[in-house]
Amino acid sequence: MPNLTRFALVLAWAIALVSPVRAAEIKALRIWAGAEYTRAVFDVSGPLDYRLFDLADPERLVLDIKSSTFSGDYSAAEANGLLKAVRSGRQGKEDLRVVFDLGEGVRPKSFLLPPAEKFGYRLVLDLYPKTRAEPVKTVAKLLPPGTSRNVIVTVDAGHGGEDPGSIGATGSHEKVITLAVARELKRVIDKEPGMSAILTRDSDFFIPLEQRYQKARDAKADLFVSIHADAFTKSEARGSSVWVLSPRGATSEAARWLADSENRADLVGGVSLDTRDDTLAAVLLDLSQGATMQASNAVASQVHAAMRRVGPTHKNHVERANFIVLRSPDVPSILVETAFISNPAEERRLNSASERTKLAEAILDGIRNYFRSTPPPGTWFALESNRARASRHVVTRGESLSAIAARHGTSVAALRSANKLIQDSVNVGDVLEIPQG
């Protein structure tokens, strides 16, 4: 490198060190109150330096922002959720202070989001109740002998809150469409014998991607379904699609679990990894992920086939991608792109309640077909499968019709009638229908 060029780079670096950081401008404060936490979002002009701490008696959360100003048209949303009031003002000559008055103690999490789509930089504060134990929805119920539990499907409405997702040709927001489809899918699932659904969100608020699949894990769900509405630069793109996690995504998640002590202490497929050496933990995790991905592929194929019966699909096969929401190591997971919101005709379809019902019922058909063919142990589907097997008898060597009738608590005459037998003799390998009652 020429000396002059080297000198110029060093000079520029030195100037950057001594030059004052450009003051960030706070433009607005937006607040959402969800069922599990309250989110406060500051729209800001660029990166900023801040400090967050809490005070007691009364409970307050204080945000100090260094070298910043409020814009001339700064506006703050009214406090709600865990927030009783919001106060702000200058702190010294160059800094700002925002005080959140709280109804109870909170556990805050904060992060800075870079610009995305129509949004610029955002400082996000997520406030979780400190003392209130979050209810854990679980399918592990005490079941009397001979009974069964429902299959649990966690339905995830994509996007939400400050994240609108894609925007349709006439202004429809993906977050609104996905919530409507998710609610309809929950409705038809809850009507189905042996099935129940849980929504990751039932209103307009944002949930981080990893928390979405974690909700399915917390619920010990049998399946996770994330609902989206695709978009493309060309408005003629059309059709639904079904996605599963790519092998690359599974590898990334495995590395994260094995490196994170909190993850390793959790149960994956019923096994805790924290007491295992690295090699054994990796093998156990690989087995769990392999079974999960195999199940995801199977249910995705059934849903894709069902979707093709009610409308066009974008491709004639299940697709793979490194979607974070599909990374659960032990809950089969699929992502359904219901249609292209960027296509005016499909946007109208997504805004139609009757069309959303068709989509939901198609997704349900695929899910039902999967659980009928692969019933989880202890579920209603497993019980029905056992009943179906119990209603048939395969004749083995040495068995007579009278012995078979006695074994199943019925009569020879009833067996003859149910199977349209002319005589009492049976052959090895014959399959007999066992009359009920």
Side-chain angles (χ1 to χ4, degrees), residues 163-216:
D163 176 16
S166 300
I167 299 177
T170 62
S172 301
H173 284 190
E174 183 180 2
K175 68 175 184 177
V176 176
I177 297 295
T178 60
L179 181 57
V181 174
R183 284 171 171 166
E184 184 63 12
L185 180 56
K186 172 177 167 54
R187 186 187 70 81
V188 297
I189 287 176
D190 287 343
K191 288 176 59 179
E192 190 73 12
M195 297 178 70
S196 299
I198 295 171
L199 294 176
T200 59
R201 68 177 181 95
D202 194 18
S203 58
D204 184 20
F205 61 93
F206 177 78
I207 305 174
L209 297 176
E210 290 177 355
Q211 287 186 22
R212 293 173 186 262
Y213 73 72
Q214 187 58 45
K215 286 176 176 284

Side-chain angles (χ1 to χ4, degrees), residues 99-390:
V99 179
F100 299 95
D101 294 326
L102 306 170
E104 60 180 285
V106 299
R107 292 180 292 107
K109 293 183 180 180
S110 64
F111 49 93
L112 184 69
L113 290 176
E117 296 188 358
K118 68 174 184 177
F119 293 104
Y121 283 94
R122 288 146 292 160
L123 174 61
V124 180
L125 308 182
D126 285 340
L127 311 179
Y128 295 84
K130 182 183 292 184
T131 56
R132 187 190 312 159
E134 293 185 15
V136 177
K137 302 183 183 75
T138 172
V139 300
K141 299 176 181 177
L142 295 175
L143 298 173
T147 61
S148 60
R149 67 169 179 87
N150 282 353
V151 157
I152 297 296
V153 181
T154 296
V155 182
D156 172 50
H159 307 281
E162 74 210 50
D163 176 16
S166 300
I167 299 177
T170 62
S172 301
H173 284 190
E174 183 180 2
K175 68 175 184 177
V176 176
I177 297 295
T178 60
L179 181 57
V181 174
R183 284 171 171 166
E184 184 63 12
L185 180 56
K186 172 177 167 54
R187 186 187 70 81
V188 297
I189 287 176
D190 287 343
K191 288 176 59 179
E192 190 73 12
M195 297 178 70
S196 299
I198 295 171
L199 294 176
T200 59
R201 68 177 181 95
D202 194 18
S203 58
D204 184 20
F205 61 93
F206 177 78
I207 305 174
L209 297 176
E210 290 177 355
Q211 287 186 22
R212 293 173 186 262
Y213 73 72
Q214 187 58 45
K215 286 176 176 284
R217 298 193 71 246
D218 291 342
K220 293 180 170 45
D222 300 281
L223 178 65
F224 174 86
V225 181
S226 190
I227 303 296
H228 289 258
D230 217 341
F232 193 61
T233 52
K234 295 181 179 180
S235 61
E236 60 267 25
R238 70 186 189 123
S240 58
S241 56
V242 184
W243 298 76
V244 295
L245 184 64
S246 68
R248 176 168 167 259
T251 301
S252 299
E253 186 67 8
R256 194 174 74 88
W257 271 77
L258 293 172
D260 189 319
S261 59
E262 288 190 17
N263 282 340
R264 290 183 62 146
D266 200 357
L267 292 176
V268 180
V271 177
S272 176
L273 305 178
D274 63 339
T275 59
R276 320 286 172 166
D277 63 48
D278 290 348
T279 302
L280 180 56
V283 170
L284 293 172
L285 181 57
D286 183 63
L287 289 171
S288 179
Q289 284 186 312
T292 299
M293 293 184 72
Q294 184 176 7
S296 299
N297 290 331
V299 68
S301 297
Q302 293 282 4
V303 171
H304 186 270
M307 298 286 283
R308 295 184 72 174
R309 293 194 288 269
V310 298
T313 53
H314 189 56
K315 293 188 177 180
N316 60 2
H317 56 81
V318 173
E319 300 177 69
R320 300 176 185 274
N322 188 11
F323 291 130
I324 292 177
V325 292
L326 300 180
R327 287 187 178 184
S328 175
D330 51 2
V331 178
S333 304
I334 66 172
L335 185 145
V336 179
E337 296 279 7
T338 51
F340 276 85
I341 197 173
S342 52
N343 182 313
E346 295 206 334
E347 182 186 18
R348 287 193 297 272
R349 181 185 177 205
L350 291 172
N351 279 298
S352 163
S354 61
E355 290 297 317
R356 290 196 298 267
T357 298
K358 290 180 183 178
L359 285 169
E361 289 177 342
I363 297 170
L364 170 62
D365 285 345
I367 294 172
R368 184 198 303 113
N369 290 341
Y370 168 74
F371 284 122
R372 280 179 176 171
S373 63
T374 315
T379 63
W380 179 88
F381 284 91
L383 188 63
E384 288 300 298
S385 177
N386 291 337
R387 285 174 178 165
R389 286 196 297 270

Side-chain angles (χ1 to χ4, degrees), residues 406-421:
R407 176 177 175 180
H408 291 281
T410 187
S411 66
V412 171
L415 276 178
R416 279 200 304 264
S417 175
N419 293 277
K420 298 180 174 57
L421 298 176

